[in-house]
Every structure is written in structure tokens, then in C-alpha cells.
């Protein structure tokens, strides 16, 4: 119907209430919108699901999907296989639609932010940008792709007023 609202860019599923207190919804919305706009993509044309969970949940996901028995800060599952045509280049972007899923672990994110002397908000914004770039087809599997992804993260975070994380 023509009167139906556009779907939200970020569909958040909050399993750990500490993420609500941390403002995950707003952080994810701002970071993802900024990322897509930086890449000259229309945020209204895309969506992804974000799971705000704890270390136990992400450890189970990490084990099930990556065979690693430890918690991690962020996991991402692109809805389609996308990759740069040339190393260090940009992947072909979809015209819109579902990009996939991202999961963030509260305890690991909080611990990393404290260890880096930064804020949880800045670290979470960085991880949302990082995860979204993965959904779009960027990776860090070789030096040129890593350099491209790090450059994009740094530039996007700067537009959010967040200092270089590397």
C-alpha cells in the first residue's frame, strides 16, 4: 500500500538489556546511515538486522559459524556473496534490499573500549561500520583489501567525530 512506512534501515534485536542503556539503536542507526551515505548509497534502500547480545550468545554463534570457541566483538553474515573485483577495490554494491545480519557482544565491546581508553559508544559505532562494510562485500583477507577497509572505516568514523581507531 502506498501509505505503508519504509522499513527501518536497522532492525535491532536486543537480547541483552545493557544494549538499550548503551543506546545501541541510535548508535547503529547513525553509524549505518553515515556509512551508506559516505559510499553514495541511499540508506532508505537498505536494511539489515542487528543482534545486541552477550558474550555467551556470541561465543555460541562464533562456534557454530566459524568453529571458534571464544567470544568475539562482532560477527556478520552478508545476505549475498559480494567481493571486490580487484584487490583493494570496491565490491559491486547491490541496488538495495536486505544486506544481512550483524551481532555485537556487550561484555567484549565494553572490555575492548576500556582497554583502548575510548568510549563504548565510539567503539560500538566503529564495529557497526566494520560489520556493515562486511555486509557490503569489503573484507580484510589480504593486505590491499585490509588497507581499503581500514581507510573507509577511518574516514567514515571521522565524519561521526570519532578518532582513528587503528
Amino acid at each position: 500500500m502506498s501509505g505503508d512506512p519504509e522499513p527501518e534501515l536497522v532492525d535491532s534485536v536486543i537480547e541483552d538489556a545493557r544494549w538499550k542503556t548503551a543506546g545501541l539503536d541510535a548508535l547503529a542507526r547513525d553509524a549505518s546511515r553515515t556509512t551508506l551515505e559516505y559510499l553514495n548509497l541511499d540508506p532508505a534502500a537498505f536494511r539489515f538486522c542487528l543482534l545486541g547480545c552477550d558474550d555467551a550468545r556470541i561465543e555460541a554463534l562464533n562456534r557454530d559459524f566459524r568453529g571458534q570457541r571464544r567470544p568475539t566483538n562482532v560477527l556478520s553474515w552478508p545476505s549475498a556473496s559480494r567481493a571486490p573485483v580487484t584487490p583493494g577495490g570496491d565490491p559491486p554494491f547491490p541496488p538495495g534490499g536486505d544486506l544481512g545480519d550483524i551481532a555485537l557482544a556487550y561484555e567484549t565491546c565494553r572490555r575492548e573500549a576500556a582497554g583502548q581508553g575510548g568510549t563504548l559508544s565510539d567503539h560500538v559505532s566503529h564495529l557497526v561500520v566494520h560489520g556493515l562494510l562486511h555486509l557490503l562485500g569489503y573484507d580484510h583477507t589480504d593486505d590491499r583489501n585490509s588497507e581499503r577497509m581500514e581507510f573507509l572505516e577511518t574516514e567514515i568514523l571521522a565524519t561521526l567525530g570519532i578518532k582513528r581507531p587503528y
Side-chain angles (χ1 to χ4, degrees), residues 61-129:
L61 293 168
N62 204 17
R63 181 190 64 237
D64 293 349
F65 289 96
R66 297 178 66 222
Q68 297 188 14
R69 297 184 176 278
R70 62 179 175 80
T72 187
N73 52 12
V74 62
L75 291 172
S76 59
W77 298 269
S79 61
S81 180
R82 302 174 184 93
V85 176
T86 58
D90 294 323
F93 298 130
D98 178 31
L99 293 173
D101 304 315
I102 298 172
L104 295 173
Y106 185 82
E107 295 95 337
T108 297
C109 290
R110 175 156 294 297
R111 188 172 50 256
E112 288 175 347
Q116 296 167 3
T119 67
L120 179 61
S121 296
D122 286 356
H123 190 51
V124 167
S125 294
H126 175 213
L127 293 174
V128 170
V129 170

Side-chain angles (χ1 to χ4, degrees), residues 1-165:
M1 291 184 358
S2 62
D4 290 342
E6 290 289 320
E8 290 291 322
L9 171 59
V10 184
D11 179 18
S12 297
V13 177
I14 306 295
E15 288 186 355
D16 186 317
R18 294 174 291 181
W19 280 119
K20 285 188 189 274
T21 305
L24 181 59
D25 287 331
L27 292 169
R29 186 176 52 252
D30 292 345
S32 57
R33 178 172 291 283
T34 300
T35 300
L36 293 171
E37 288 173 350
Y38 181 88
L39 296 170
N40 295 313
L41 298 171
D42 179 9
F46 295 94
R47 65 187 173 284
F48 68 94
C49 184
L50 176 65
L51 172 64
C53 62
D54 62 14
D55 273 7
R57 175 79 154 122
I58 212 159
E59 182 173 353
L61 293 168
N62 204 17
R63 181 190 64 237
D64 293 349
F65 289 96
R66 297 178 66 222
Q68 297 188 14
R69 297 184 176 278
R70 62 179 175 80
T72 187
N73 52 12
V74 62
L75 291 172
S76 59
W77 298 269
S79 61
S81 180
R82 302 174 184 93
V85 176
T86 58
D90 294 323
F93 298 130
D98 178 31
L99 293 173
D101 304 315
I102 298 172
L104 295 173
Y106 185 82
E107 295 95 337
T108 297
C109 290
R110 175 156 294 297
R111 188 172 50 256
E112 288 175 347
Q116 296 167 3
T119 67
L120 179 61
S121 296
D122 286 356
H123 190 51
V124 167
S125 294
H126 175 213
L127 293 174
V128 170
V129 170
H130 183 87
L132 184 54
L133 288 174
H134 277 310
L135 297 184
L136 289 165
Y138 292 95
D139 65 49
H140 36 83
T141 57
D142 66 40
D143 287 345
R144 288 194 280 182
N145 288 346
S146 291
E147 289 170 7
R148 178 68 176 147
M149 193 165 171
E150 184 177 314
F151 170 81
L152 288 172
E153 288 176 25
T154 300
E155 292 290 307
I156 293 163
L157 292 172
T159 67
L160 290 165
I162 299 171
K163 66 180 176 135
R164 179 178 165 77

